[in-house]
Amino acid sequence: FVLCNPATHRSLTANLARHLGCTVLAATYRRAPRHAYPGALDGLLDLYRTLLGAFPAHGIVLAGESAGANLALALCLRAAQLHLPPPAGLILLSPWADLSDTTSPSWAHAHTTDYLPLDLARLFAAAYAGPLPLADPHISPLHDTASFVGAPRTLV
């Protein structure tokens, strides 16, 4: 929500394109703290609608890493709410799908390997959520499990 951009992930996206034999569009989205929710998601929804005008939904896979995976999942759920065709699939790399979770074993035992220390993660989560609670399903899609019914195939 705050760090990274298509350039920081170019190696990853280029490898995905090469190994999967597909075209990859790495999107730039509005970042917190300047743009809290729903800034990033609204921009990505506009992009998804544009893609649907150029490609069939069955030819689109949404992917993201960490906060980007949260946004890919949230975009899929928002598309379903708006009765847009779902993408063919999701690729969620280390998804940060529950911004309210700060007590799972990952935070306690992986502090030397996690990309963000807990205090910085809390700061970034709050910057993205703005006035909404971190457990709000719009912020933390994992809290909207009822909407996963009918979700596209997903690789985590």
Side-chain angles (χ1 to χ4, degrees):
F1 306 110
V2 177
L3 301 174
C4 301
N5 58 52
T8 62
H9 283 67
R10 187 162 290 125
S11 175
L12 174 65
T13 56
N15 280 320
L16 278 173
R18 185 174 63 251
H19 290 292
L20 298 176
C22 64
T23 299
V24 171
L25 171 66
T28 298
Y29 54 84
R30 297 178 200 130
R31 304 214 183 286
R34 187 172 186 185
H35 301 282
Y37 175 88
L41 189 56
D42 285 349
L44 293 171
L45 180 61
D46 289 344
L47 177 60
Y48 185 64
R49 284 182 166 136
T50 299
L51 289 173
L52 288 172
F55 301 97
H58 69 267
I60 299 172
V61 174
L62 303 178
E65 183 262 333
S66 190
N70 173 304
L71 289 168
L73 182 55
L75 176 59
C76 185
L77 297 175
R78 174 77 68 85
Q81 292 166 353
L82 296 172
H83 306 287
L84 294 173
L90 293 169
I91 300 174
L92 308 176
L93 305 172
S94 190
W96 194 12
D98 183 2
L99 277 62
S100 68
D101 173 30
T102 58
T103 60
S104 69
S106 171
W107 291 113
H109 303 294
H111 63 277
T112 59
T113 57
D114 281 343
Y115 183 71
L116 294 177
L118 181 56
D119 58 341
L120 195 55
R122 284 181 175 144
L123 181 71
F124 289 174
Y128 176 67
L132 294 176
L134 296 178
D136 185 297
H138 296 99
I139 303 300
S140 295
L142 195 60
H143 289 271
D144 190 12
T145 55
S147 293
F148 294 141
V149 174
R153 297 191 317 177
T154 303
L155 174 65
V156 179

